[in-house]
Amino acid sequence: MLGKLLKYDLKWMLKIICVFCIIGTIFGVLARVIEVCTDSLFFDIIVGIFKGTALSLTISALFNSVIRAWVRLGNNMYKDESYLTNTLPIPRSTHYLSKCLSGLICVFLSAIVILINVFIMYYSKENMEMLKQALNLVSTSLDSSVAGVIFVMIVVIILEVLFLVFCGFFGVVLGHRFNEKKSLKSLLFGLMIYGIFSIVSLVIMLIASLFSSELRNLLFNSTQVMDMSLFIYILWGCAIVYFVYCVVLYFITSNLLDKGV
């Protein structure tokens, strides 16, 4: 049953997100074709406009993945579709899991499209060589492979976006437990939980600084330059923290849903 729910949720979300991804990719391809085939100021301006449009559309797809995940949960559990949803012999936790998985898939898809579009628009031997040298310099400083550095950076970004998705889910579920101004309260609760976890992150950072003189100097000494080896540890720490936040918010929100809508 989860597979069928996921299919319908993805169909509802992707019908808009795919439009942004496809049109953005078309603009990216056109920009690259014009850039390769022409050499004039007029067409350089056109290429710049097309590249900006392509990036804007694909980044919009990522933001829409987050927003539409929130909207899908609200519509499916609390609005017109909720009568059918809540009368089906399917646990609310299964419905919620489907919304989480569809949001996760759409975020990954949008991120991949952004990377592909950037590659299409900016690939060249010179750019790749510059990027390779920069990454080699960073990886040497961090005593890590280039692939490892890229991987952890991508993981942190995706987990942070998913954290926003789960904050929104929490806000939607808690906000709709009230009888009035549900949308406004959903927004406020989402911002509230985001703020709470941000404060928790700050506390974790301060506690960690008690055990690391490098981190303490970075936080409290304005002239301190970040050690690159410290940078990779901070990235992994952020990845772990965001993953824990997502898991905690998933179970809290699922528990709220199990109490009734």
Side-chain angles (χ1 to χ4, degrees):
M1 186 54 68
L2 176 61
K4 292 182 179 179
L5 291 174
L6 184 59
K7 181 182 74 173
Y8 288 116
D9 288 335
L10 283 174
K11 183 179 179 181
W12 187 88
M13 293 181 65
L14 289 175
K15 66 182 179 182
I16 298 297
I17 295 170
C18 282
V19 173
F20 282 97
C21 290
I22 292 171
I23 297 177
T25 303
I26 290 173
F27 272 101
V29 172
L30 287 175
R32 188 56 191 267
V33 171
I34 295 173
E35 186 177 33
V36 171
C37 297
T38 62
D39 185 17
S40 69
L41 177 61
F42 173 76
F43 284 108
D44 286 345
I45 295 173
I46 297 297
V47 167
I49 293 173
F50 278 13
K51 284 184 177 181
T53 303
L55 286 175
S56 297
L57 287 169
T58 48
I59 292 173
S60 294
L62 182 61
F63 282 107
N64 270 273
S65 298
V66 176
I67 294 171
R68 287 183 70 79
W70 299 340
V71 174
R72 180 59 176 170
L73 179 66
N75 288 346
N76 204 233
M77 301 300 294
Y78 299 102
K79 296 186 179 180
D80 294 341
E81 301 175 13
S82 63
Y83 176 77
L84 178 61
T85 300
N86 293 307
T87 53
L88 289 173
I90 303 172
R92 294 190 185 97
S93 58
T94 304
H95 284 284
Y96 178 55
L97 178 58
S98 175
K99 306 299 181 290
C100 294
L101 291 175
S102 60
L104 175 64
I105 291 170
C106 290
V107 167
F108 269 109
L109 176 63
S110 301
I112 290 172
V113 172
I114 291 173
L115 292 175
I116 291 174
N117 225 8
V118 169
F119 180 81
I120 290 172
M121 292 187 291
Y122 296 104
Y123 172 78
S124 68
K125 290 183 178 179
E126 294 79 11
N127 288 339
M128 292 301 295
E129 186 62 30
M130 289 174 58
L131 178 62
K132 184 178 179 180
Q133 290 178 1
L135 290 174
N136 282 333
L137 178 62
V138 173
S139 63
T140 302
S141 301
L142 298 177
D143 193 23
S144 178
S145 66
V146 172
V149 174
I150 296 176
F151 175 76
V152 68
M153 292 178 70
I154 293 175
V155 167
V156 170
I157 292 172
I158 290 178
L159 284 174
E160 185 171 5
V161 174
L162 290 176
F163 170 60
L164 291 175
V165 173
F166 282 106
C167 285
F169 284 164
F170 174 85
V172 169
V173 173
L174 191 57
H176 282 80
R177 297 184 71 84
F178 293 82
N179 293 324
E180 297 179 347
K181 300 180 180 179
K182 298 179 181 180
S183 297
L184 176 60
K185 290 177 180 178
S186 295
L187 175 62
L188 292 176
F189 282 124
L191 292 173
M192 179 195 72
I193 198 65
Y194 181 84
I196 290 173
F197 278 108
S198 297
I199 293 173
V200 172
S201 298
L202 178 60
V203 172
I204 292 173
M205 184 74 75
L206 291 174
I207 293 174
S209 70
L210 298 176
F211 302 94
S212 171
S213 59
E214 292 181 349
L215 181 58
R216 186 165 60 253
N217 289 333
L218 180 65
L219 292 176
F220 300 106
N221 187 349
S222 59
T223 61
Q224 177 71 23
V225 178
M226 180 183 292
D227 189 330
M228 296 304 292
S229 61
L230 178 63
F231 176 69
I232 196 69
Y233 288 116
I234 291 176
L235 284 178
W236 277 115
C238 289
I240 294 171
V241 167
Y242 279 126
F243 177 77
V244 172
Y245 288 172
C246 290
V247 172
V248 170
L249 281 172
Y250 172 83
F251 284 107
I252 291 175
T253 307
S254 181
N255 185 57
L256 288 172
L257 275 174
D258 287 340
K259 293 180 179 179
V261 298

